[in-house]
Amino acid sequence: MNNLNLKEIMNKPERLAPGHRMCAGCGATIGVRAVLRALHEGDYAVIGNATGCLEVSTYMYPYTAWEDSYIHNAFENAGATLSGVETAYKALKKKGKIPEDVNYKFITFGGDGGTYDIGFQSLSGAMERNHDMVYVCYDNGAYMNTGIQRSSATPMYADTTTTPVGSQSNGKMQNRKDLAAIIAEHDVPYVAQTTLTTDFKDLHRKSEKAIYTEGACFLNMMAPCPRGWQYDTSEIMKICKLAVDTCYWPLFEVDHGKWILNYEPKKKLPIEDFLREQGRFKHLFKKGNEDLLVQFQQEVDRRWENLLYRCARED
Amino acid sequence: MPKKDRMSGNEAVAYAIKQINPDVMPAFPITPSTEIPQMVSSYIANGEVDTEFIPVESEHSSMSAAIGAQAAGARTLTATSSAGLALMWEELLLAASNRMPLALALVNRTLSGPININCDHTDSMGARDTGWIQIYAENNQEVYDNFIQAYPIAEHKDVHLPIMICQDGFITSHAVENIELMDDDVVKEFVGEYEPEEFLLNPGKPMAVGPYAISAYAMEARKNQEIALENSKDVIWQVAKEYEKISGRKYGFFEEYRTKDADYIMLIMGSAAGTAKQAVDELREQGKKVGVLKLRVFRPFPAKEIAAALSRCKAVAIMDRCESYNGNGGPLGSEVTAALFRNKVMIEAVNYIYGLAGRDFTVENVFDIFAQLDDAVTSGTEIEQYQYIGLRK
């Protein structure tokens, strides 16, 4: 695991074929391909998917971009649907209907709408029942498929179509939900927060760990959306790096209850560096809104300190 | 050898499940169907079945997980009632449109409000246009027999549709009656192994389920689904014929009870048919030509067959254990009158709403209804075409 050969990993056959209809510069597609690269060759997979951009753009009848078996059911039930698939696997294996040497893995993808919000109950149920599956949330911080409405993953002060900035509004009024922590509190074997880093090692390692750890595992993967965040499509990797280096999106994992910090920037950058790149925060840089930036920084710091505390705790 | 026993309707369904030994059962408790997943859980706990039970956190998730399991290649079922079925509604449509031949043991209960746990058909009637096959039972023997026929109908290659086996909450689900049970091996052979043509867990042959389809394709998918439902009519007949061979019990779209020379027929579904038959027997002794048409298969709706069966009578009382709030009658009232009109059977057809939320339906109610029909036909008295029976005065 420590000696990841990036070139070798990147040259593995793609399990999400090109030709799908996702936007250029979309973090979800890049992230999904990276997760699937963590599947060992020879292993089969069933991919689940909540309704969202990823689903409507990758499986449009009569074409599918998925090389593996794939099931989309509805918006709010990716957790429950894949728990049915995984249970069927157990039942059919027990009856000898699937050869013993055949190995299936179960991975489901959902956006933050399908995961943090409408699919939260279904996700919580699947995690608590500890099905042998991985739920990957590609968190782009709003309902992008329906046109950039706020979600409980949207950060405070973001400009969305249901929290528009106006003369009486500075965007979203509430902080975002800390979903990785909430799922960790389900006492599942493995939870990790990750995003697209330049070497892809963090995402690859965590995907592999989640896929090959028995039981319910959860990955919260920040996946920027060029339409919703309003950045230049070529800037995606820079934005991800700034999210990590400002500690807006820390990289950590919770392995069988143990909180582990995976990356601590040598120099924690000010949150402005991350926000400045995105059109959804441009009102924060207007004269008179300096206090909003201060508040944003305070919230990032509070969460970062909280994470450091959790990771420092000896069990 | 078949064995005589006595059990409740829920026990009868659970017993059929044990004999079939399906692969996966996700379920969430709700009165009055709760006993079914409880009993299956006990079978599992005692090693009597191989079934994997998923204790989901809601009925929406039970139907979602059922779709996942069935798509994966497992024979799947669930059980529910009332609000549980209502919560599943979106997923009922997906089970049917994804052509999943899974089974649902429905124990009919009314919907809120006011909240009430007793029987009427509001729950299944609310799901009548979701694409499911719906079969109703008068008593415990019938719900047992219907459940054993469920998979051979649903899984037939010309059908591939989900099936709802309905029985009346408490009236049959909790009442203990005599029943004849078949041998396990006879049931197993009748139901057979589930061998799907395409499924998710088919190594080397991946499958994709649940596409987005643009307008250029989606309408054909709907039409194909409609054709499958029409196909199920023949299959329901074939399966009933085969079932008669092993059980000696005869089934069809409906049962015609003393209707041959009847002037007046009561068309009714579920346990209340027993009450109607009792009343008919008493009226026949007084020389009244009355009969009962007990509808067993509501979806697909056997419109032509119903019209033909009613074509020789003078009037029909169409009994709905459900209000449909269209201002014009209950669901059976609308569909049966449409069937009569389309097949040019121009008889008096009166729609009665009865037994809502567990209100008793009595032999006296049946006497009153037949008396009304007779009055209308013989004296030409104007009759209210859509009315409630058994309301408090």
Side-chain angles (χ1 to χ4, degrees):
Chain A
M1 211 69 136
N2 293 326
N3 303 316
L4 290 177
N5 183 333
L6 190 65
K7 202 173 160 194
E8 214 171 273
I9 293 162
M10 289 304 189
N11 284 330
K12 284 173 77 171
E14 287 284 350
R15 295 175 91 135
L16 181 71
H20 57 72
R21 294 161 167 82
M22 296 288 270
C23 301
C26 161
T29 334
I30 301 167
V32 166
R33 286 167 55 214
V35 171
L36 296 181
R37 276 197 292 272
L39 276 162
H40 297 169
E41 276 178 73
D43 280 353
Y44 297 98
V46 179
I47 310 300
N49 203 173
T51 308
C53 291
L54 183 66
E55 174 264 326
V56 299
S57 306
T58 57
Y59 182 22
M60 195 180 275
Y61 183 85
Y63 305 107
T64 176
W66 302 88
E67 301 287 353
D68 294 287
S69 271
Y70 170 90
I71 182 166
H72 157 252
N73 187 346
F75 193 7
E76 69 284 48
N77 60 359
T81 303
L82 209 68
S83 72
V85 177
E86 184 264 352
T87 306
Y89 179 61
K90 268 208 294 207
L92 297 179
K93 268 252 157 143
K94 193 166 67 181
K95 285 190 174 173
K97 287 191 170 180
I98 294 173
E100 252 180 60
D101 60 339
V102 164
N103 204 19
Y104 269 94
K105 292 290 164 189
F106 304 94
I107 306 168
T108 195
F109 295 100
D112 47 289
T115 308
Y116 282 68
D117 292 343
I118 198 169
F120 185 59
Q121 173 185 314
S122 175
L123 166 68
S124 176
M127 291 288 119
E128 184 272 333
R129 294 190 302 272
N130 202 26
H131 292 277
D132 191 7
M133 59 183 266
V134 186
Y135 193 112
V136 183
C137 175
Y138 66 97
D139 180 347
N140 51 27
Y143 306 152
M144 301 309 185
N145 192 40
T146 42
I148 318 161
Q149 293 82 33
R150 65 90 85 183
S151 77
S152 63
T154 305
M156 190 181 268
Y157 301 136
D159 183 16
T160 75
T161 56
T162 48
T163 58
V165 171
S167 63
Q168 305 299 310
S169 161
N170 290 314
K172 192 192 173 194
M173 294 299 290
Q174 301 82 16
N175 277 320
R176 49 182 294 276
K177 193 192 269 183
D178 188 353
L179 189 61
I182 292 165
I183 301 302
E185 290 300 331
H186 282 63
D187 204 22
V188 293
Y190 185 70
V191 173
Q193 185 159 292
T194 181
T195 189
L196 319 174
T197 54
T198 39
D199 62 4
F200 280 95
K201 277 188 184 173
D202 190 77
L203 179 50
H204 182 85
R205 186 182 65 77
K206 288 172 177 172
S207 300
E208 188 176 29
K209 177 129 191 176
I211 294 166
Y212 290 96
T213 296
E214 198 179 334
C217 298
F218 180 77
L219 294 183
N220 201 18
M221 173 177 75
M222 192 191 76
C225 166
R227 292 190 64 244
W229 295 20
Q230 300 165 51
Y231 59 84
D232 187 275
T233 54
S234 63
E235 297 295 317
I236 181 166
M237 298 310 285
K238 183 181 170 192
I239 286 183
C240 289
K241 183 157 173 48
L242 286 169
V244 173
D245 283 336
T246 56
C247 300
Y248 168 80
W249 194 263
L251 305 178
F252 64 88
E253 62 197 324
V254 187
D255 189 352
H256 293 87
K258 174 88 184 134
W259 285 71
I260 304 160
L261 188 68
N262 305 118
Y263 174 77
E264 190 164 1
K266 284 196 185 73
K267 183 177 180 294
K268 186 174 167 218
L269 297 177
I271 193 64
E272 286 94 320
D273 290 3
F274 172 64
L275 302 177
R276 201 179 288 113
E277 299 293 323
Q278 305 171 48
R280 62 176 173 159
F281 294 117
K282 68 171 186 283
H283 57 292
L284 299 184
F285 295 91
K286 278 195 183 141
K287 216 173 162 52
N289 279 347
E290 293 80 3
D291 60 316
L292 301 182
L293 281 172
V294 171
Q295 280 177 37
F296 205 117
Q297 183 67 60
Q298 281 170 349
E299 178 60 15
V300 170
D301 294 346
R302 188 186 69 80
R303 288 188 180 219
W304 175 246
E305 291 302 322
N306 195 17
L307 178 64
L308 291 179
Y309 174 76
R310 277 169 161 155
C311 293
R313 205 179 63 191
E314 295 286 335
D315 286 319
Chain B
M1 280 286 287
K3 85 172 178 216
K4 299 221 184 284
D5 204 336
R6 49 180 173 261
M7 52 175 60
S8 72
N10 278 347
E11 285 176 299
V13 168
Y15 196 82
I17 293 169
K18 182 164 85 167
Q19 293 184 308
I20 294 166
N21 192 21
D23 300 312
V24 178
M25 179 178 194
F28 190 81
I30 182 167
T31 303
S33 61
T34 306
E35 289 179 331
I36 297 172
Q38 281 177 342
M39 288 166 188
V40 173
S41 297
S42 294
Y43 297 147
I44 295 168
N46 295 311
E48 294 174 87
V49 290
D50 305 308
T51 310
E52 290 282 341
F53 184 73
I54 314 179
V56 283
E57 80 298 330
S58 73
E59 289 89 352
H60 192 282
S61 283
S62 67
M63 188 47 65
S64 303
I67 290 170
Q70 187 78 43
R75 185 178 269 159
T76 306
L77 80 154
T78 186
T80 196
S81 297
S82 183
L85 190 73
L87 185 59
M88 282 179 192
W89 197 77
E90 178 198 29
E91 290 298 303
L92 294 175
L93 293 159
L94 282 156
S97 59
N98 281 313
R99 309 293 297 276
M100 297 296 160
L102 54 92
L104 190 158
L106 184 77
V107 182
N108 284 102
R109 165 184 156 184
T110 194
L111 275 161
S112 300
I115 185 168
N116 175 288
I117 59 168
N118 295 297
C119 175
D120 66 35
H121 298 156
T122 308
D123 49 6
S124 53
M125 284 295 142
R128 67 187 182 273
D129 296 337
T130 55
W132 283 59
I133 295 166
Q134 286 191 352
I135 299 186
Y136 291 76
E138 177 188 333
N139 52 44
N140 303 354
Q141 182 71 61
E142 287 188 6
V143 73
Y144 171 77
D145 292 340
N146 288 344
F147 204 88
I148 293 170
Q149 294 171 66
Y151 287 114
I153 295 167
E155 292 168 3
H156 191 281
K157 65 174 172 46
D158 299 336
V159 180
H160 271 290
L161 285 173
I163 187 164
M164 208 177 282
I165 301 298
C166 310
Q167 64 167 316
D168 284 353
F170 294 108
I171 302 167
T172 68
S173 70
H174 284 61
V176 175
E177 288 184 323
N178 290 334
I179 191 167
E180 191 178 293
L181 303 167
M182 285 187 295
D183 288 335
D184 293 356
D185 54 343
V186 174
V187 172
K188 278 198 173 61
E189 202 193 313
F190 181 78
V191 178
E193 279 292 309
Y194 178 47
E195 274 155 14
E197 294 139 26
E198 309 278 347
F199 55 107
L200 295 171
L201 298 171
N202 194 2
K205 276 189 77 185
M207 176 177 77
V209 178
Y212 183 87
I214 57 167
S215 310
Y217 295 109
M219 194 162 168
E220 280 70 24
R222 305 288 164 90
K223 179 59 186 171
N224 285 339
Q225 190 184 330
E226 190 280 326
I227 291 169
L229 193 75
E230 282 190 42
N231 290 346
S232 74
K233 279 180 82 172
D234 272 352
V235 174
I236 290 167
W237 263 114
Q238 287 164 26
V239 171
K241 252 190 248 163
E242 291 300 313
Y243 192 74
E244 191 185 351
K245 284 184 205 157
I246 60 162
S247 68
R249 290 183 290 276
K250 205 178 173 70
Y251 288 101
F253 298 137
F254 44 75
E255 178 193 343
E256 293 175 274
Y257 186 78
R258 308 187 81 164
T259 55
K260 222 168 208 172
D261 62 339
D263 290 332
Y264 308 115
I265 294 176
M266 175 172 283
L267 188 152
I268 197 160
M269 220 161 56
S271 62
T275 309
K277 286 175 183 174
Q278 173 67 33
V280 159
D281 288 346
E282 289 180 35
L283 291 171
R284 280 278 177 179
E285 273 176 34
Q286 299 164 25
K288 304 250 162 69
K289 290 181 167 179
V290 290
V292 174
L293 189 153
K294 180 185 79 188
L295 190 58
R296 172 178 178 253
V297 178
F298 178 66
R299 284 289 182 267
F301 190 69
K304 255 187 211 155
E305 293 83 354
I306 288 173
L310 297 175
S311 63
R312 293 176 305 274
C313 74
K314 294 174 182 162
V316 58
I318 307 163
M319 307 300 295
D320 266 302
R321 198 165 200 151
C322 172
E323 173 53 86
S324 74
Y325 299 112
N326 61 9
N328 191 44
L332 273 171
S334 301
E335 300 212 15
V336 173
T337 49
L340 293 173
F341 181 80
R342 200 178 274 175
N343 291 282
K344 312 209 170 12
V345 178
M346 295 305 164
I347 54 169
E348 196 73 56
V350 185
N351 189 194
Y352 294 89
I353 308 291
Y354 76 100
L356 299 189
R359 176 63 49 88
D360 280 345
F361 181 64
T362 65
V363 169
E364 285 68 33
N365 293 149
V366 185
F367 291 160
D368 289 347
I369 289 167
F370 278 125
Q372 272 197 10
L373 293 186
D374 187 41
D375 204 31
V377 170
T378 54
S379 326
T381 317
E382 188 131 333
I383 188 166
E384 215 181 314
Q385 295 290 303
Y386 156 45
Q387 51 174 295
Y388 277 54
I389 195 98
L391 274 182
R392 286 155 63 100
K393 292 271 167 10

